[in-house]
Amino acid sequence: VRDAIYGEMTARDPDHDGLYHGFYEFWDCDHEQRGPKTAGETSWMISAFRGAAKMAEALGLRDEAKVYRSEAEKSLNALNKQLWYPKIGQPGARTADDQRYERASVHEVFIGAQRGVFTEKQSAQALLRLRYLYSRTSSYGVPMMFKNDVWPIVWSQHYMPPGDISLTYMAATKCGLADEYFPYLQVIAASVLKSNHAGLGLAIGQDGSTDSIEPGNYDGQGPFAWAIAEGLFGVAPDGDSDHVRIAPNIPDSWREASASFGDISMAIERASANTVRLRIRDGRRRVLRVQWPTRRPVTSVRVNGKPVRYTIKPAVNRAIVELSLRAGRPLDIEFEFRGKPL
C-alpha cells in the first residue's frame, strides 16, 4: 500500500497541489478525462488516503496515519476549490492550459459520491445534472443513460455501458435519488433477456439488448451485482467485521421483494399504505445497522412485536429511520408511517 500510494503521488501529482492527473493513455480514456487535473482521479486518491490512514491506525502507526489524513484533507480542499463548480453543482476537470471542463463524465461524479468524498448535497446536485445532460429515451422507448456527450464520437462513449451506469445507480442510492436512477438499472437487467447470449456485454443498444461483444464481460457483470446487493437491497459491511449495514432502496411501486446474501436473507413487504415490514434472518451474532428511507412522518417501529428505540437522521431528499440490532435470531421489523410524502 505504501508503494502504491507513493507511486501515485509521484506520477500523478508532480506539482504536489493535491489534484491528481487522469492521463489519456489508459483503457477507457478516449477523450473522457479532459485533464490532466480531474475530479475522478482526485476522488480515488482521497479515498485511498483515508483507507491507508485506517490501516496505519490499526497497526499502531499513528504518525503515518496522520500524514495520510493530511494528504486527504489537502486534496479535498483543492478539489472543492478548483474542480467543484458551485454555480452548476458538478465536479469537473482543468486542462493543462488551465481551461475548465464543466461537463463531467459519469465516473467523475460516481467515484466521489460513492466514496464519500462529496457531501450528500453535492452528490445529489451532480447526479441530477448528469441525468439532465446524458439521459435519453431511445426511438424504441428505452430509457438510456450515457457516459458523457464528448465530441467527436468515439467507440466507448456513445452507448449505455452496464458497468458505469450500475455504479452511477449505486451513487444515487447514497443521496436520495435511487428512484430517479432505478429505470436504468431495470434496462440493464432486462437487456440479458433481449439477447442471444448469457450475461451482460459491454454495451446496451437502443432496443434495450446487450451486445454480443465479449458476453459476460466483468465490466458489466461485477458492478451490476454490486448495485443489486449494496444499492438496491443495501447490504454492506459497516466498518467492522462484526457489523453489517442493511439499508434497502427498493422502489416505492414494489409491494414486496426478497433476497439472500450468504448468511443474510431478507424479505420486504409493504403490508398497507402505512406499514412496511422487513424480515431479516442472519445466523451470525453480529450488529446490524438497519436503515429505512422515508419522506413521511414515522409513528412507530417494532421488532418482533415490541416497540424499540430508533433515531431519525436528516438526509437529502428524504429522512433515514435507523436502529441498531443484534442478529443471531429472527428479526421482524415493522415501520409505521402516516400522512402523505413530503
Side-chain angles (χ1 to χ4, degrees), residues 151-220:
W151 186 264
I153 295 176
V154 184
W155 73 273
S156 70
Q157 300 306 315
H158 291 259
Y159 60 67
M160 182 170 170
D164 286 304
I165 303 309
S166 293
L167 295 174
T168 305
Y169 168 79
M170 273 280 297
T173 66
K174 297 180 180 296
C175 58
L177 295 175
D179 284 355
E180 285 78 357
Y181 273 83
F182 182 71
Y184 311 119
L185 196 70
Q186 281 184 302
V187 170
I188 294 170
S191 70
V192 178
L193 305 178
K194 297 181 179 182
S195 304
N196 59 4
H197 60 82
L200 293 169
L202 283 171
I204 292 176
Q206 292 195 38
D207 63 350
S209 65
T210 188
D211 64 26
S212 58
I213 303 173
E214 298 186 53
N217 188 285
Y218 182 80
D219 282 8

Side-chain angles (χ1 to χ4, degrees), residues 237-264:
D238 194 28
D240 187 286
S241 60
D242 202 32
H243 291 68
V244 172
R245 177 180 62 87
I246 298 179
N249 289 287
I250 66 167
D252 290 340
S253 60
W254 285 17
R255 309 316 303 167
E256 59 184 31
S258 61
S260 180
F261 305 98
D263 297 325
I264 297 175

Side-chain angles (χ1 to χ4, degrees), residues 267-280:
I268 303 166
E269 176 192 7
R270 298 190 192 275
S272 70
N274 296 320
T275 305
V276 174
R277 292 178 181 143
L278 173 59
R279 296 187 294 274
I280 301 174

Side-chain angles (χ1 to χ4, degrees), residues 19 39 42-43 46 75-84 118:
L19 298 177
T42 302
S43 294
I46 293 170
S75 291
L76 180 61
N77 290 337
L79 186 154
N80 282 323
K81 185 177 181 180
Q82 298 188 53
L83 299 181
W84 178 263
F118 304 142

Side-chain angles (χ1 to χ4, degrees), residues 260-265 281-284 286:
S260 180
F261 305 98
D263 297 325
I264 297 175
S265 63
R281 301 295 183 263
D282 183 0
R284 296 178 56 181
R286 53 187 163 194

